[in-house]
């Protein structure tokens, strides 16, 4: 519904902008320019989707190996002590705890297809534990679970790296570490904001050890990078990203050998999913990118961004972030729409430009908040969301602001 409205706004807004330029400035060629932009972008969208096939198949194949080898279950066991403190309403040993951990772990590993069914199952089980007499009112556990999903914590941003590779980025994984840092701050903000409303005891020794230790590690990493030159930051970031991603592949393969999983067959199974996924996204990619192209060619996008730039100027903010902002504004509403904005930014400014990289970070630092709320709460009949939307939007805002700050640290724009 939301994406439908946004898509229509692109075309109606573009037509109005074309009419204004024709009537006010006598630019009779603006209509043809908009149509040519649509034709060109439809071709580009198809080429992007086809080019994604190989890279997407590679990563989904690797992820399938990890899934079958038990990587998700292992990660779930690791975070169990923390999760038992964040969900105090859930009885000890209740099966929903395992489902929640599997869902969050799958999200962290980028296993979207596996994460969503587990998420819906977890929400249904949490609804059975809902202590409210009015079952349309969200429980504390349901809100905590939803915001953890909406915070978008990601260890491996597979899809973003895949798109960057297809768009010709010199090193598609150079945003790996910045996205990890941004989503970490987003998730911490979500947990802290919920704890304020729900009176969760963050001073519990185990919770302090977990959150404090993770925060100290991240801050130490940020402190280390802040004392490096721009060239050293790039070199070190690429080293860490490459090492981490290669290590994940090796660990998954090692687990497969240990668990006697047929790694090759698992890889082929996952790769098939990659092929089908690439084909399935063609219509959606064409639709959103054509809408963005018409909106941009008509001059409406420039008008919108100039307005945003003027507002940011009032607060002393630079204009470097403006071209990437459409991705940030779209992401809470629509993942597909934000993906289109991200690709448009990389195509327009280049995948290795500040705007191109920042748009990728915006895409990875937040999640489709309103979609998640609608699907997860809607699946169990929750109508009264209480403080869920507030906390989710706080998490999104922190993720966006963190992405901007980290982008300036890792990828300082050239003069």
């Amino acid at each position: 519904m939301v994406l439908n409205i946004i898509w229509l706004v692109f075309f109606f807004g573009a037509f109005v902008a074309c009419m204004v330029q024709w009537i006010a400035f006598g630019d009779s060629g603006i209509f043809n320019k908009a149509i040519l932009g649509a034709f060109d972008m439809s071709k580009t969208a198809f080429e992007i989707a086809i080019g994604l096939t190989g890279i997407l198949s590679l990563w989904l194949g690797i992820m399938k190996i990890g899934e079958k080898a038990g990587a998700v279950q292992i990660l779930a066991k690791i975070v169990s002590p923390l999760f038992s403190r964040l969900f105090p309403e859930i009885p000890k040993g209740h099966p929903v705890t395992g489902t929640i951990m599997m869902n969050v772990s799958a999200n962290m590993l980028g296993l979207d297809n596996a994460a969503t069914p587990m998420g819906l199952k977890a929400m249904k089980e949490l609804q059975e534990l809902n202590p409210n007499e009015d079952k349309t009112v969200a429980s504390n556990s349901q809100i905590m679970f939803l915001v953890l999903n909406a915070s978008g914590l990601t260890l491996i941003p597979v899809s973003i790296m895949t798109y960057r590779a297809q768009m010709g980025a010199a090193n598609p994984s150079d945003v790996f570490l910045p996205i990890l840092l941004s989503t970490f701050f987003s998730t911490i903000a979500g947990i802290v904001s919920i704890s304020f409303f729900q009176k969760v005891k963050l001073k519990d020794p185990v919770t302090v050890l977990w959150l404090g230790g993770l925060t100290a590690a991240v801050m130490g990493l940020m402190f280390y990078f802040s004392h490096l030159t721009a060239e050293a930051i790039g070199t070190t970031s690429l080293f860490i990203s490459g090492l981490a991603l290669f290590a994940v592949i090796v660990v998954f393969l090692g687990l497969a050998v240990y668990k006697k999983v047929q790694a090759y067959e698992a890889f082929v199974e996952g790769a098939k999913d990659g092929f089908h996924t690439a084909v399935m996204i063609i219509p959606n990619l064409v639709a959103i990118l054509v809408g963005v192209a018409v909106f941009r060619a008509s001059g409406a996008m420039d008008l919108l961004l100039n307005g945003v730039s003027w507002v940011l100027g009032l607060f002393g903010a630079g204009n470097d972030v403006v071209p990437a902002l459409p991705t940030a504004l779209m992401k809470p509403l629509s993942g597909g729409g934000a993906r289109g904005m991200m690709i448009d930014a990389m195509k327009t400014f280049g995948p290795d430009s500040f705007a191109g990289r920042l748009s990728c970070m915006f895409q990875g630092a937040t999640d489709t908040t309103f979609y998640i709320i609608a699907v997860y709460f809607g699946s169990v009949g929750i109508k009264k969301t209480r403080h869920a939307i507030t906390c989710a939007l706080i998490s999104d805002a922190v993720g966006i602001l963190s992405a901007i700050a980290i982008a300036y640290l890792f990828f300082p724009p050239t003069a």
Side-chain angles (χ1 to χ4, degrees):
M1 179 63 179
V2 173
L3 186 55
N4 178 62
I5 295 174
I6 293 171
W7 195 66
L8 292 175
V9 166
F10 281 152
F11 284 93
F12 290 141
F15 185 75
V16 170
C18 287
M19 289 292 293
V20 169
Q21 293 189 62
W22 173 48
I23 296 173
F25 304 103
D27 187 358
S28 59
I30 189 65
F31 296 99
N32 189 57
K33 183 180 179 181
I35 292 299
L36 290 177
F39 290 161
D40 180 63
M41 189 59 81
S42 63
K43 178 182 177 182
T44 299
F46 182 79
E47 292 172 348
I48 290 173
I50 295 301
L52 284 172
T53 306
I55 303 169
L56 197 57
S57 295
L58 166 65
W59 276 107
L60 289 185
I62 295 296
M63 289 301 179
K64 180 61 71 173
I65 294 173
E67 182 183 352
K68 289 199 169 186
V72 176
Q73 293 87 334
I74 292 174
L75 187 56
K77 290 180 180 179
I78 293 174
V79 300
S80 176
L82 174 63
F83 273 40
S84 64
R85 268 75 177 178
L86 298 180
F87 297 90
E89 292 181 346
I90 299 177
K92 188 175 182 179
H94 194 281
V96 71
T97 303
T99 309
I100 290 174
M101 292 178 186
M102 291 282 284
N103 166 261
V104 176
S105 300
N107 273 324
M108 291 169 69
L109 291 174
L111 302 174
D112 295 335
N113 292 334
T116 301
M118 285 187 286
L120 294 175
K121 183 175 184 293
M123 188 60 73
K124 181 179 179 181
E125 293 174 350
L126 288 173
Q127 180 70 342
E128 295 174 356
L129 296 174
N130 192 337
N132 299 313
E133 292 184 7
D134 182 359
K135 297 301 181 180
T136 64
V137 179
S139 68
N140 287 346
S141 295
Q142 287 174 314
I143 294 173
M144 177 67 80
F145 175 62
L146 182 135
V147 174
L148 283 177
N149 271 268
S151 67
L153 181 60
T154 305
L155 291 181
I156 309 175
V158 174
S159 62
I160 294 174
M161 292 189 297
T162 301
Y163 281 111
R164 285 184 54 73
Q166 176 59 19
M167 296 301 294
N171 192 312
S173 64
D174 60 4
V175 297
F176 164 72
L177 188 56
I179 288 177
L180 175 60
L181 294 173
S182 300
T183 58
F184 173 79
F185 289 120
S186 173
T187 301
I188 290 295
I191 292 175
V192 171
S193 61
I194 291 177
S195 299
F196 173 78
F197 284 100
Q198 298 183 2
K199 311 300 181 185
V200 175
K201 296 180 180 179
L202 292 180
K203 295 182 179 180
D204 179 273
V206 175
T207 306
V208 170
L209 183 63
W210 264 92
L211 298 184
L214 290 173
T215 302
V218 171
M219 295 304 295
L221 195 62
M222 293 288 291
F223 178 80
Y224 171 72
F225 275 100
S226 67
H227 286 74
L228 297 179
T229 63
E231 182 179 356
I233 288 176
T235 302
T236 307
S237 176
L238 291 177
F239 168 73
I240 294 176
S241 300
L243 175 62
L245 293 175
F246 202 0
V248 167
I249 295 174
V250 172
V251 168
F252 283 6
L253 293 176
L255 282 172
V257 172
Y258 178 73
K259 294 291 185 67
K260 298 182 179 180
V261 172
Q262 296 299 314
Y264 179 80
E265 285 77 4
F267 178 88
V268 172
E269 181 183 344
K272 289 179 181 178
D273 292 336
F275 177 80
H276 293 306
T277 300
V279 173
M280 290 295 293
I281 68 172
I282 291 177
N284 297 284
L285 203 56
V286 170
I288 193 65
L289 287 184
V290 166
V292 172
V294 171
F295 196 71
R296 179 180 292 281
S298 68
M301 180 71 80
D302 291 335
L303 183 63
L304 175 63
L305 294 181
N306 287 338
V308 173
S309 178
W310 179 79
V311 172
L312 290 177
L314 296 178
F315 297 94
N319 292 328
D320 300 310
V321 304
V322 174
L325 282 180
T327 304
L329 298 176
M330 183 68 73
K331 188 61 188 285
L333 301 172
S334 166
R339 181 172 57 246
M341 293 296 188
M342 176 188 70
I343 293 173
D344 179 69
M346 286 194 286
K347 184 176 186 295
T348 302
F349 303 98
D352 293 327
S353 65
F354 181 81
R357 286 178 168 130
L358 182 58
S359 65
C360 293
M361 292 175 63
F362 283 150
Q363 176 76 356
T366 59
D367 214 323
T368 50
T369 301
F370 292 103
Y371 172 81
I372 291 174
I373 291 174
V375 172
Y376 278 35
F377 278 172
S379 66
V380 293
I382 294 294
K383 297 179 180 179
K384 300 174 184 177
T385 61
R386 298 170 61 205
H387 49 276
I389 295 178
T390 299
C391 294
L393 291 179
I394 289 174
S395 175
D396 284 345
V398 171
I400 290 171
L401 294 175
S402 298
I404 294 173
I406 292 169
Y408 273 108
L409 174 62
F410 279 80
F411 316 113
T414 57

